[in-house]
Amino acid sequence: MHTLLAGVAILLPTFLLLRFLATTSIRHIVIQSCRAIADRLHLHQTYTVPQFDPTTLLPNPLYSRVAAYLSSLQHADSSAAATNLLSGSNPSHDIILSPDPNRHVITDRFLSALLSWSNHPASSPASGCKFVLCLRKKDKRRILRPYLQHILSVSEDVGREIKSFTTHFAPSAAAAESPWRAVPFAHPATMETVVMDADLKGKVKSDLELFLKSKQYYHRLGRAWKRSYLLHGPPGTGKSSFVAAMARFLCFDVYEIDFSKFADDSDLLKLLSQTTPRSVVVIEDLDRILANSSGNLSLSGLLKFMDGIGCEERVMIYTMTSKEGIDPSVLRPGRIDVQIHFPLCDFPAFKALAGNYLGVKEHKLFPQVEEVFLSGASLSPAEIGEIMIANRGSPSRALKSVITALQAADAAASDARAVRLMRTAAAAAAAAGDDGGGGVFCRESVHTVREFRKLYGLLRIGSRRKEESSVPSSELGGGSGPLEKEGRIEGGGAKS
């Protein structure tokens, strides 16, 4: 018994001492000493990544890649000063881990090998900071090249902030300064939030993913590595939101081109050359631009821009209201690879909007809404979305307001059709009158139009009475809301 107590008395202080050493900085001092001894024995190899190229004094792109990669590592050895915590692109949510310039050591493991990174402060403003990679010599041949490829791959999107670029002067106005002005890309649309047929959305995502992997394939074909999309449809159908969703899906910067800033075709081509790879280049209202023949840009200049010679890893997106009257050379495959039609809202899209805006998957008023849609009534998704936002506190009130708005839009469209029919009949009557037979033709035409309007009026009165017995009128939200409706992929080189 006495021997047991003596052993406990010896082991207990030893255990407490070891525990103390393991939980204090003394442990790290021992680790650093072991590393120093290993360095003196030349067991490690070091590689330096300078912030600036020593020969050209230009920024070293690899330095920013390594910084982004290190910020993604979960384990940071606290043997030196504490790691810096910085706000990311979204200050309310994103926090970035940044190596402290006071030679802070960050450890990493790759293929079972232990590596360490240290961040060395700048010795002078011209030299900049530098990262130093340290690994065991016996692991160098086995892991160095795969590890560097791993860093490039991981850092591709880590910490990358999407930017939106707009032109603030023509390229020729100040050659020494970039004509692009950048701001953080703030549009919240994603592929998950846009309302779109699931099959169509899947095809678009697959097309974009295939494009990202096809650099060698495009080069083997002798083609520029770019993809062109045409989004066409009435205003408020979701074209701009879909552009934002594509940019977020690709993690590409967005360049919006304003044609009013250009003096001639050369300005447009210069501007394209000053965009960067991994970017989405957007031209909105292409039909309006083509119709403005008094502008400074020619069709040939626009076609050269669309060809995108010399541009790599870019997605070109054009929007227009209608393809009618557009020169076929603009729409040919190669200039436009994928065409997506954005129609007005139909009932399936309405149900998706109701789920997003109101949190409603099914409702007793859905059959009535479907009946109104089947009668030919329609609104843009933006208009329906704004109604739902204005009445989001009560799904029933929101759906009744949508029904009322659809009926009003249908009535207005029918009146417009009747007016167009009357004008057509009047024009035909005038033409017949010039030939001497206008009296009879005019009376018959007017009589036909009157009968049509009388029949249409009776149908509308009956429909209104039926609807008023089941749907009380309610207030209608105004304005323009989210743009969230997409259509189908058409021709233009799309594969489906």
Side-chain angles (χ1 to χ4, degrees):
M1 186 64 180
H2 178 72
T3 304
L4 179 61
L5 292 175
V8 171
I10 295 173
L11 293 175
L12 183 60
T14 304
F15 172 75
L16 294 176
L17 177 61
L18 293 175
R19 184 178 181 185
F20 172 76
L21 294 176
T23 55
T24 62
S25 60
I26 297 176
R27 168 179 173 269
H28 304 294
I29 294 174
V30 173
I31 293 175
Q32 281 188 329
S33 300
C34 294
R35 287 176 179 167
I37 294 173
D39 290 341
R40 288 185 177 277
L41 295 176
H42 303 288
L43 299 179
H44 291 87
Q45 178 77 45
T46 59
Y47 298 89
T48 300
V49 183
Q51 186 175 4
F52 300 102
D53 188 324
T55 57
T56 64
L57 299 182
L58 295 175
N60 179 14
L62 183 58
Y63 181 88
S64 59
R65 291 289 191 94
V66 171
Y69 173 75
L70 295 180
S71 70
S72 70
L73 296 180
Q74 297 297 316
H75 175 68
D77 189 347
S78 58
S79 59
T83 302
N84 294 327
L85 297 177
L86 306 175
S87 294
S89 58
N90 187 344
S92 61
H93 295 89
D94 298 342
I95 297 178
I96 296 176
L97 178 74
S98 177
D100 191 271
N102 190 19
R103 298 199 64 168
H104 182 51
V105 176
I106 296 179
T107 59
D108 191 15
R109 283 192 176 274
F110 183 76
L111 297 179
S112 303
L114 183 65
L115 310 95
S116 65
W117 287 94
S118 57
N119 188 19
H120 295 238
S123 57
S124 66
S127 64
C129 301
K130 61 182 178 181
F131 288 114
V132 176
L133 169 65
C134 182
L135 71 160
R136 295 176 67 88
K137 286 185 176 179
K138 67 176 185 179
D139 296 327
K140 178 180 68 173
R141 181 172 296 179
R142 180 173 64 92
I143 72 162
L144 180 59
R145 187 172 295 277
Y147 182 62
L148 295 177
Q149 292 296 329
H150 170 70
I151 290 174
L152 295 177
S153 176
V154 172
S155 65
E156 191 72 39
D157 296 323
V158 170
R160 174 176 169 83
E161 180 183 34
I162 302 177
K163 292 184 175 60
S164 176
F165 292 84
T166 55
T167 50
H168 57 107
F169 58 78
S172 58
E177 183 183 355
S178 172
W180 293 107
R181 177 174 295 162
V183 296
F185 186 68
H187 201 298
T190 66
M191 283 293 188
E192 288 68 35
T193 60
V194 293
V195 174
M196 190 180 215
D197 177 77
D199 291 339
L200 173 62
K201 188 185 297 186
K203 289 179 181 178
V204 174
K205 291 170 68 174
S206 297
D207 187 72
L208 292 172
E209 289 172 341
L210 183 61
F211 166 74
L212 292 176
K213 302 173 184 176
S214 302
K215 179 178 181 179
Q216 298 301 325
Y217 177 74
Y218 274 76
H219 288 177
R220 182 165 61 83
L221 296 177
R223 296 184 56 170
W225 185 26
K226 70 177 184 66
R227 193 77 169 151
S228 299
Y229 292 81
L230 172 65
L231 316 182
H232 61 98
T237 50
K239 299 184 292 293
S240 297
S241 289
F242 194 64
V243 171
M246 293 174 72
R248 289 207 176 275
F249 180 77
L250 296 167
C251 201
F252 278 16
D253 292 330
V254 178
Y255 287 83
E256 299 182 50
I257 294 183
D258 182 1
F259 276 78
S260 65
K261 298 288 197 305
F262 306 125
D264 52 36
D265 295 339
S266 62
D267 282 349
L268 181 60
L269 299 177
K270 288 178 184 176
L271 199 69
L272 180 61
S273 68
Q274 294 180 11
T275 61
T276 60
R278 295 181 60 81
S279 62
V280 173
V281 181
V282 183
I283 294 182
E284 298 210 55
D285 300 323
L286 181 60
D287 50 344
R288 179 180 56 82
I289 295 169
L290 293 170
N292 184 18
S293 58
S294 61
N296 298 321
L297 298 176
S298 65
L299 177 61
S300 62
L302 179 62
L303 296 180
K304 290 179 182 178
F305 173 89
M306 297 179 72
D307 290 336
I309 298 176
C311 291
E312 288 285 292
E313 202 172 3
R314 288 168 178 80
V315 172
M316 318 283 284
I317 302 180
Y318 310 92
T319 71
M320 61 174 60
T321 301
S322 174
K323 296 190 298 180
E324 293 183 10
I326 301 298
D327 193 306
S329 63
V330 175
L331 303 178
R332 73 160 176 80
R335 292 197 175 110
I336 299 295
D337 302 309
V338 179
Q339 299 185 23
I340 307 178
H341 180 223
F342 288 70
L344 293 174
C345 194
D346 55 13
F347 183 65
F350 165 82
K351 291 185 67 175
L353 289 173
N356 285 354
Y357 285 82
L358 305 175
V360 174
K361 300 300 181 184
E362 293 294 338
H363 196 278
K364 62 181 180 180
L365 291 177
F366 274 9
Q368 193 168 346
V369 176
E370 183 177 16
E371 183 180 347
V372 179
F373 273 114
L374 292 176
S375 70
S378 188
L379 292 170
S380 72
E383 294 169 313
I384 292 179
E386 184 59 32
I387 295 172
M388 291 179 176
I389 289 176
N391 298 277
R392 60 186 178 275
S394 172
S396 296
R397 185 173 67 245
L399 297 181
K400 293 174 183 177
S401 298
V402 169
I403 292 172
T404 302
L406 286 169
Q407 291 172 339
D410 187 41
S414 299
D415 288 344
R417 287 194 296 269
V419 170
R420 287 196 300 269
L421 180 60
M422 291 181 64
R423 289 176 177 173
T424 301
D434 293 339
D435 294 335
V440 175
F441 186 90
C442 181
R443 285 193 297 271
E444 290 179 350
S445 300
V446 172
H447 178 72
T448 302
V449 172
R450 286 175 179 172
E451 290 297 324
F452 170 78
R453 290 178 59 84
K454 183 184 298 184
L455 177 60
Y456 172 72
L458 292 175
L459 291 174
R460 280 186 56 191
I461 292 173
S463 176
R464 285 180 177 174
R465 287 176 178 174
K466 180 180 178 181
E467 298 298 341
E468 287 173 358
S469 64
S470 58
V471 182
S473 62
S474 56
E475 285 192 5
L476 175 64
S480 60
L483 313 179
E484 310 251 30
K485 171 72 175 88
E486 280 70 39
R488 56 189 177 85
I489 294 184
E490 303 177 342
K495 305 294 183 184
S496 57

